[in-house]
Amino acid sequence: QVQLVESGGGLVQAGGSLRLSCAASGNIFSINAMGWSRQAPGKQRELVAVINNGGSTNYADSVKGRFTISRDNTKNTVYQEMNSLKPEDTAVYYCYARIRARAGTLEDYWGKGTLVTVSS
């Protein structure tokens, strides 16, 4: 019904930057919110950032001031600019979208993830 396609992961040195992108397509009437979670090796998944249709954002304390989430509603795309990256940011990053389908149902979707590796 809905596909989330992530891109932008890769290898970067500590202090560097990356920008993640996630485009949603398919059975979409509207998108209530989009965001990112991550799962580091040996750790549980955690929410990183969320942005709603009005532009309000929420960030995990660990990334505040370093990560910026943004959204292009015309493209159903969410971005995450990650600056001053630290080795502890190494994780698989998953795109999230809460979507209202054309039939009116509210549905949650997750992308398959993109790996971010930050070296010391």
Side-chain angles (χ1 to χ4, degrees), residues 13-81:
Q13 289 186 312
S17 299
L18 286 173
R19 188 166 102 136
L20 305 182
S21 299
C22 175
S25 62
N27 182 18
I28 300 170
F29 178 77
S30 63
I31 299 179
N32 287 2
M34 299 188 77
W36 297 89
S37 65
R38 68 184 182 186
Q39 187 165 23
K43 298 182 180 179
Q44 296 186 22
R45 183 175 62 87
E46 64 173 340
L47 182 67
V48 175
V50 175
I51 184 168
N52 68 16
N53 281 338
S56 298
T57 58
N58 288 291
Y59 295 93
D61 289 341
S62 59
V63 306
K64 286 181 179 177
R66 300 188 299 118
F67 290 13
T68 302
I69 188 169
S70 61
R71 182 173 171 179
D72 185 341
N73 291 331
T74 67
K75 299 178 180 179
N76 290 333
T77 299
V78 65
Y79 306 94
Q80 183 167 266
E81 183 76 27

Side-chain angles (χ1 to χ4, degrees), residues 1-3 25-28 101-102 105 107 109:
Q1 297 273 48
V2 174
Q3 299 80 44
S25 62
N27 182 18
I28 300 170
R102 295 187 180 95
T105 55
E107 303 171 353
Y109 291 89

